[in-house]
Amino acid sequence: MKLGVAIFPTDYSIRPDDFARACEERGFESVWFPEHTHIPASRATPYPAGGDLPKEYWHTHDPFVALMAAAAVTKTIKLATGICLLVERDPIVTAKEVSSLDQLSGGRVLFGIGAGWNVEEMANHGTDFGGRWTLLRERVEAMKRIWTQEAAEYHGTLVNFDPIWQYPKPLQKPHPPIILGSASRRSLGRIVAYCDGWVPIGFAMQDLAGALQELPERATAAGRDPRSIEISLFWAPGDADALRAYSDMGIARGILAVPSVGRDEILSMLDRHAPLVGQLRG
Protein backbone atom coordinates (compact mmCIF):
# COMPACT_ATOMS: atom_id res chain seq x y z
CA MET A 1 0.00 0.00 0.00
CA LYS A 2 1.16 3.50 -0.84
CA LEU A 3 0.99 6.11 1.93
CA GLY A 4 0.24 9.78 1.51
CA VAL A 5 -0.20 12.59 4.02
CA ALA A 6 -2.82 15.35 3.96
CA ILE A 7 -2.71 18.73 5.66
CA PHE A 8 -4.45 22.08 5.42
CA PRO A 9 -1.39 24.23 4.60
CA THR A 10 -2.19 27.48 6.36
CA ASP A 11 -0.59 30.80 7.15
CA TYR A 12 0.11 29.62 10.71
CA SER A 13 1.18 25.99 10.18
CA ILE A 14 4.29 24.39 8.71
CA ARG A 15 5.10 25.80 5.27
CA PRO A 16 3.92 23.63 2.37
CA ASP A 17 7.43 23.34 0.92
CA ASP A 18 8.87 22.27 4.29
CA PHE A 19 6.02 19.80 4.72
CA ALA A 20 6.48 18.18 1.30
CA ARG A 21 10.25 17.94 1.71
CA ALA A 22 9.84 16.27 5.10
CA CYS A 23 7.29 13.80 3.71
CA GLU A 24 9.54 12.89 0.79
CA GLU A 25 12.54 12.41 3.08
CA ARG A 26 10.52 9.93 5.14
CA GLY A 27 9.40 7.93 2.12
CA PHE A 28 5.76 8.98 1.85
CA GLU A 29 4.34 8.64 -1.65
CA SER A 30 2.19 11.78 -1.87
CA VAL A 31 1.10 15.01 -0.20
CA TRP A 32 -2.53 16.16 -0.34
CA PHE A 33 -3.68 19.78 0.02
CA PRO A 34 -7.39 20.70 0.21
CA GLU A 35 -9.16 23.78 -1.04
CA HIS A 36 -11.56 26.38 0.24
CA THR A 37 -11.43 29.80 -1.37
CA HIS A 38 -13.22 31.24 1.65
CA ILE A 39 -15.79 30.36 4.30
CA PRO A 40 -18.96 32.47 4.51
CA ALA A 41 -19.19 34.18 7.88
CA SER A 42 -22.85 33.24 8.20
CA ARG A 43 -21.84 29.61 8.87
CA ALA A 44 -25.33 28.50 7.86
CA THR A 45 -24.26 25.13 6.39
CA PRO A 46 -23.26 22.80 9.23
CA TYR A 47 -19.81 21.20 9.27
CA PRO A 48 -20.25 17.61 7.94
CA ALA A 49 -17.96 16.15 10.61
CA GLY A 50 -20.02 17.81 13.36
CA GLY A 51 -19.18 20.54 15.85
CA ASP A 52 -17.48 23.83 15.06
CA LEU A 53 -15.75 24.29 11.74
CA PRO A 54 -11.95 24.32 12.33
CA LYS A 55 -10.32 27.62 11.46
CA GLU A 56 -7.93 26.05 8.93
CA TYR A 57 -10.85 25.95 6.50
CA TRP A 58 -10.60 29.70 5.98
CA HIS A 59 -6.83 30.01 6.48
CA THR A 60 -5.61 27.51 3.88
CA HIS A 61 -3.34 28.53 1.00
CA ASP A 62 -4.45 28.15 -2.59
CA PRO A 63 -3.70 24.48 -3.35
CA PHE A 64 -1.92 25.02 -6.68
CA VAL A 65 0.33 27.74 -5.28
CA ALA A 66 1.12 25.53 -2.28
CA LEU A 67 1.76 22.47 -4.47
CA MET A 68 4.10 24.43 -6.73
CA ALA A 69 6.07 25.48 -3.65
CA ALA A 70 6.19 21.80 -2.71
CA ALA A 71 7.24 20.79 -6.22
CA ALA A 72 10.16 23.21 -6.19
CA VAL A 73 11.88 21.50 -3.26
CA THR A 74 11.08 17.83 -4.03
CA LYS A 75 11.84 15.36 -6.80
CA THR A 76 9.63 12.28 -6.53
CA ILE A 77 6.69 12.77 -4.19
CA LYS A 78 3.25 12.99 -5.83
CA LEU A 79 1.44 16.33 -5.55
CA ALA A 80 -2.29 16.00 -4.96
CA THR A 81 -5.24 18.29 -4.54
CA GLY A 82 -7.26 16.72 -1.79
CA ILE A 83 -9.62 17.95 -2.98
CA CYS A 84 -9.99 20.75 -5.54
CA LEU A 85 -13.47 22.30 -5.48
CA LEU A 86 -13.86 22.32 -9.24
CA VAL A 87 -17.50 23.43 -8.95
CA GLU A 88 -16.13 26.78 -7.73
CA ARG A 89 -13.53 27.16 -10.49
CA ASP A 90 -13.35 28.21 -14.10
CA PRO A 91 -12.45 25.05 -16.05
CA ILE A 92 -10.24 26.81 -18.62
CA VAL A 93 -8.14 28.52 -15.94
CA THR A 94 -7.99 25.35 -13.83
CA ALA A 95 -6.92 23.26 -16.82
CA LYS A 96 -4.03 25.69 -17.30
CA GLU A 97 -3.05 25.48 -13.60
CA VAL A 98 -3.11 21.68 -13.51
CA SER A 99 -1.12 21.26 -16.72
CA SER A 100 1.42 23.91 -15.69
CA LEU A 101 1.95 22.22 -12.32
CA ASP A 102 2.24 18.83 -14.01
CA GLN A 103 4.83 20.13 -16.48
CA LEU A 104 6.90 22.01 -13.91
CA SER A 105 6.84 19.14 -11.39
CA GLY A 106 7.91 16.49 -13.89
CA GLY A 107 4.51 14.81 -14.13
CA ARG A 108 3.71 14.33 -10.45
CA VAL A 109 0.14 15.68 -10.19
CA LEU A 110 -2.83 13.75 -8.80
CA PHE A 111 -5.93 15.82 -9.52
CA GLY A 112 -8.33 15.17 -6.66
CA ILE A 113 -11.72 16.80 -7.18
CA GLY A 114 -15.02 17.09 -5.36
CA ALA A 115 -18.43 18.72 -5.47
CA GLY A 116 -18.22 20.27 -2.02
CA TRP A 117 -20.67 20.65 0.84
CA ASN A 118 -20.89 24.35 1.75
CA VAL A 119 -24.00 25.80 0.09
CA GLU A 120 -23.18 29.46 0.74
CA GLU A 121 -19.57 29.10 -0.38
CA MET A 122 -20.74 27.74 -3.74
CA ALA A 123 -23.38 30.42 -4.08
CA ASN A 124 -20.71 33.10 -3.76
CA HIS A 125 -19.10 31.56 -6.86
CA GLY A 126 -22.40 31.48 -8.71
CA THR A 127 -22.81 27.71 -8.31
CA ASP A 128 -26.20 26.18 -7.57
CA PHE A 129 -25.90 23.47 -4.94
CA GLY A 130 -28.52 21.26 -6.57
CA GLY A 131 -26.75 21.33 -9.93
CA ARG A 132 -23.21 20.90 -8.66
CA TRP A 133 -22.77 17.31 -9.88
CA THR A 134 -23.80 18.15 -13.42
CA LEU A 135 -21.44 21.12 -13.33
CA LEU A 136 -18.59 18.97 -11.99
CA ARG A 137 -19.00 16.38 -14.75
CA GLU A 138 -19.12 18.98 -17.50
CA ARG A 139 -16.07 20.82 -16.18
CA VAL A 140 -14.10 17.56 -15.99
CA GLU A 141 -15.14 16.62 -19.51
CA ALA A 142 -14.22 20.09 -20.80
CA MET A 143 -10.81 20.01 -19.11
CA LYS A 144 -10.04 16.60 -20.61
CA ARG A 145 -10.65 18.05 -24.05
CA ILE A 146 -8.42 21.04 -23.33
CA TRP A 147 -5.64 18.71 -22.16
CA THR A 148 -5.85 16.29 -25.07
CA GLN A 149 -6.96 18.28 -28.14
CA GLU A 150 -5.21 20.92 -30.21
CA ALA A 151 -8.35 23.01 -30.70
CA ALA A 152 -10.66 22.00 -27.88
CA GLU A 153 -14.32 22.87 -27.72
CA TYR A 154 -17.11 21.86 -25.37
CA HIS A 155 -20.84 22.42 -25.56
CA GLY A 156 -22.74 21.29 -22.51
CA THR A 157 -25.66 22.50 -20.45
CA LEU A 158 -23.53 24.55 -18.04
CA VAL A 159 -20.11 24.69 -19.73
CA ASN A 160 -19.87 26.02 -23.24
CA PHE A 161 -17.00 27.28 -25.39
CA ASP A 162 -15.95 27.24 -29.04
CA PRO A 163 -12.53 25.90 -30.16
CA ILE A 164 -9.60 27.18 -28.09
CA TRP A 165 -5.84 26.68 -28.06
CA GLN A 166 -4.20 26.11 -24.70
CA TYR A 167 -0.68 25.00 -23.83
CA PRO A 168 1.21 23.57 -22.07
CA LYS A 169 -0.47 20.21 -22.14
CA PRO A 170 0.06 18.01 -19.07
CA LEU A 171 3.25 15.95 -19.03
CA GLN A 172 1.27 12.87 -17.97
CA LYS A 173 -0.68 11.37 -20.83
CA PRO A 174 -3.49 11.65 -21.53
CA HIS A 175 -3.69 13.79 -18.37
CA PRO A 176 -3.07 13.58 -14.61
CA PRO A 177 -5.26 11.03 -12.81
CA ILE A 178 -8.64 12.49 -11.90
CA ILE A 179 -9.67 11.23 -8.47
CA LEU A 180 -13.14 11.87 -7.08
CA GLY A 181 -13.47 12.51 -3.37
CA SER A 182 -16.84 11.38 -2.08
CA ALA A 183 -18.36 9.54 0.86
CA SER A 184 -21.45 8.38 -1.02
CA ARG A 185 -22.11 5.21 -3.00
CA ARG A 186 -24.14 7.40 -5.34
CA SER A 187 -20.81 8.61 -6.71
CA LEU A 188 -19.70 5.19 -7.96
CA GLY A 189 -21.37 5.77 -11.32
CA ARG A 190 -19.63 9.14 -11.61
CA ILE A 191 -16.26 7.56 -10.92
CA VAL A 192 -16.79 4.97 -13.62
CA ALA A 193 -18.03 7.59 -16.09
CA TYR A 194 -15.30 10.23 -15.90
CA CYS A 195 -12.67 9.56 -13.23
CA ASP A 196 -9.50 7.51 -12.78
CA GLY A 197 -9.77 6.99 -9.06
CA TRP A 198 -11.86 7.32 -5.93
CA VAL A 199 -10.96 8.61 -2.49
CA PRO A 200 -13.69 7.81 0.05
CA ILE A 201 -13.55 9.65 3.34
CA GLY A 202 -12.81 7.16 6.08
CA PHE A 203 -14.85 8.57 8.94
CA ALA A 204 -17.91 9.43 6.80
CA MET A 205 -18.23 6.43 4.47
CA GLN A 206 -20.94 3.92 5.29
CA ASP A 207 -20.61 0.32 4.06
CA LEU A 208 -17.21 0.84 2.48
CA ALA A 209 -16.84 -2.90 1.90
CA GLY A 210 -20.07 -2.98 -0.09
CA ALA A 211 -19.01 0.00 -2.18
CA LEU A 212 -15.63 -1.59 -2.89
CA GLN A 213 -17.42 -4.66 -4.19
CA GLU A 214 -19.90 -2.65 -6.25
CA LEU A 215 -17.37 -0.37 -7.96
CA PRO A 216 -15.59 -3.04 -10.06
CA GLU A 217 -18.95 -4.52 -10.99
CA ARG A 218 -20.08 -1.12 -12.29
CA ALA A 219 -16.79 -0.64 -14.13
CA THR A 220 -17.06 -4.02 -15.84
CA ALA A 221 -20.66 -3.36 -16.83
CA ALA A 222 -19.57 -0.07 -18.40
CA GLY A 223 -16.77 -1.72 -20.35
CA ARG A 224 -13.95 -0.44 -18.15
CA ASP A 225 -11.15 -2.47 -16.65
CA PRO A 226 -11.72 -2.21 -12.87
CA ARG A 227 -7.94 -2.03 -12.45
CA SER A 228 -7.99 1.35 -14.20
CA ILE A 229 -9.67 2.86 -11.13
CA GLU A 230 -7.31 3.38 -8.19
CA ILE A 231 -8.85 3.63 -4.73
CA SER A 232 -7.36 5.65 -1.88
CA LEU A 233 -8.67 6.17 1.65
CA PHE A 234 -8.77 9.61 3.21
CA TRP A 235 -8.26 9.90 6.99
CA ALA A 236 -6.69 6.46 6.97
CA PRO A 237 -5.74 5.00 10.36
CA GLY A 238 -2.12 5.21 11.45
CA ASP A 239 -1.99 1.51 12.24
CA ALA A 240 -0.21 -1.06 10.07
CA ASP A 241 -2.65 -3.91 10.71
CA ALA A 242 -5.68 -1.75 9.94
CA LEU A 243 -4.03 -0.45 6.77
CA ARG A 244 -3.21 -4.01 5.65
CA ALA A 245 -6.86 -4.91 6.12
CA TYR A 246 -7.85 -2.01 3.88
CA SER A 247 -5.24 -3.10 1.36
CA ASP A 248 -6.77 -6.57 1.30
CA MET A 249 -10.10 -4.90 0.48
CA GLY A 250 -8.59 -3.35 -2.64
CA ILE A 251 -7.45 0.06 -1.40
CA ALA A 252 -4.16 1.06 -3.01
CA ARG A 253 -3.31 4.17 -1.01
CA GLY A 254 -3.85 5.28 2.56
CA ILE A 255 -3.88 9.02 3.19
CA LEU A 256 -2.99 9.99 6.74
CA ALA A 257 -4.20 13.36 8.02
CA VAL A 258 -2.17 15.67 10.24
CA PRO A 259 -3.39 18.90 11.85
CA SER A 260 -2.45 22.42 10.82
CA VAL A 261 0.21 23.04 13.43
CA GLY A 262 3.80 24.24 13.50
CA ARG A 263 6.87 22.69 11.96
CA ASP A 264 8.28 20.94 15.03
CA GLU A 265 4.98 19.28 15.89
CA ILE A 266 4.45 18.13 12.32
CA LEU A 267 7.95 16.69 12.00
CA SER A 268 7.38 14.74 15.21
CA MET A 269 4.11 13.34 13.84
CA LEU A 270 5.73 12.40 10.54
CA ASP A 271 8.52 10.65 12.41
CA ARG A 272 5.95 8.58 14.29
CA HIS A 273 4.15 7.63 11.06
CA ALA A 274 7.27 7.03 8.96
CA PRO A 275 7.81 3.37 10.02
CA LEU A 276 4.47 2.54 8.37
CA VAL A 277 6.03 3.19 4.97
CA GLY A 278 8.42 0.26 5.31
CA GLN A 279 5.86 -1.97 7.03
CA LEU A 280 3.40 -1.57 4.14
CA ARG A 281 5.84 -1.65 1.25
CA GLY A 282 5.44 -4.47 -1.23
Side-chain angles (χ1 to χ4, degrees), residues 91-92 95 135-149 152-156 159-161 164:
I92 298 174
L135 182 63
L136 182 71
R137 175 180 56 79
E138 290 194 2
R139 287 183 174 173
V140 169
E141 291 172 349
M143 290 172 65
K144 286 183 178 181
R145 294 191 187 182
I146 294 170
W147 289 331
T148 60
Q149 297 178 6
E153 64 180 301
Y154 188 87
H155 303 286
V159 178
N160 186 69
F161 54 85
I164 64 171

Side-chain angles (χ1 to χ4, degrees), residues 5-77:
V5 190
I7 190 174
F8 277 81
T10 69
D11 54 345
Y12 57 83
S13 62
I14 185 173
R15 289 174 52 95
D17 48 352
D18 290 342
F19 177 75
R21 184 191 296 112
C23 288
E24 184 172 86
E25 289 172 349
R26 289 157 177 79
F28 291 103
E29 177 260 355
S30 53
V31 291
W32 296 71
F33 295 162
E35 173 173 47
H36 283 278
T37 59
H38 69 289
I39 293 295
S42 68
R43 291 299 305 113
T45 303
Y47 179 39
D52 294 333
L53 184 71
K55 72 175 185 177
E56 58 260 30
Y57 276 75
W58 62 95
H59 278 261
T60 191
H61 292 298
D62 176 272
F64 293 105
V65 175
L67 287 170
M68 190 62 242
V73 298
T74 57
K75 294 186 179 300
T76 60
I77 199 163

Side-chain angles (χ1 to χ4, degrees), residues 78 101-109 171-172:
K78 299 286 188 181
L101 178 61
D102 200 54
Q103 277 278 345
L104 294 171
S105 69
R108 291 189 275 146
V109 173
L171 190 62
Q172 297 181 78

Side-chain angles (χ1 to χ4, degrees), residues 7-268:
I7 190 174
F8 277 81
T10 69
D11 54 345
Y12 57 83
S13 62
I14 185 173
R15 289 174 52 95
D17 48 352
D18 290 342
F19 177 75
R21 184 191 296 112
C23 288
E24 184 172 86
E25 289 172 349
R26 289 157 177 79
F28 291 103
E29 177 260 355
S30 53
V31 291
W32 296 71
F33 295 162
E35 173 173 47
H36 283 278
T37 59
H38 69 289
I39 293 295
S42 68
R43 291 299 305 113
T45 303
Y47 179 39
D52 294 333
L53 184 71
K55 72 175 185 177
E56 58 260 30
Y57 276 75
W58 62 95
H59 278 261
T60 191
H61 292 298
D62 176 272
F64 293 105
V65 175
L67 287 170
M68 190 62 242
V73 298
T74 57
K75 294 186 179 300
T76 60
I77 199 163
K78 299 286 188 181
L79 308 164
T81 49
I83 48 82
C84 171
L85 291 172
L86 189 54
V87 297
E88 299 178 1
R89 285 180 156 268
D90 179 275
I92 298 174
V93 173
T94 307
K96 170 78 82 170
E97 289 184 314
V98 173
S99 58
S100 297
L101 178 61
D102 200 54
Q103 277 278 345
L104 294 171
S105 69
R108 291 189 275 146
V109 173
L110 302 174
F111 187 42
I113 62 169
W117 55 270
N118 193 310
V119 178
E120 296 76 39
E121 180 182 353
M122 290 180 210
N124 288 344
H125 287 280
T127 296
D128 172 62
F129 185 78
R132 70 195 189 283
W133 286 109
T134 299
L135 182 63
L136 182 71
R137 175 180 56 79
E138 290 194 2
R139 287 183 174 173
V140 169
E141 291 172 349
M143 290 172 65
K144 286 183 178 181
R145 294 191 187 182
I146 294 170
W147 289 331
T148 60
Q149 297 178 6
E150 169 65 20
E153 64 180 301
Y154 188 87
H155 303 286
T157 304
L158 301 172
V159 178
N160 186 69
F161 54 85
D162 290 329
I164 64 171
W165 299 327
Q166 188 189 96
Y167 279 81
K169 303 298 186 186
L171 190 62
Q172 297 181 78
K173 302 302 179 189
H175 51 71
I178 299 170
I179 304 169
L180 182 63
S182 172
S184 170
R185 288 179 70 163
R186 291 192 295 267
S187 288
L188 298 183
R190 301 171 180 127
I191 296 160
V192 170
Y194 56 84
C195 295
D196 307 296
W198 177 36
V199 55
I201 302 169
F203 71 84
M205 186 69 202
Q206 296 182 356
D207 191 18
L208 178 59
L212 291 172
Q213 181 177 351
E214 182 180 346
L215 182 58
E217 294 172 353
R218 281 178 172 257
T220 300
R224 283 192 66 175
D225 183 348
R227 294 172 296 181
S228 69
I229 301 173
E230 184 176 66
I231 304 170
S232 309
L233 180 68
F234 227 110
W235 273 284
D239 175 80
D241 290 337
L243 289 168
R244 289 190 190 99
Y246 282 120
S247 179
D248 291 342
M249 294 168 66
I251 292 176
R253 177 187 293 109
I255 305 168
L256 308 171
V258 295
S260 298
V261 294
R263 185 176 185 275
D264 291 344
E265 290 179 83
I266 289 295
L267 295 183
S268 178

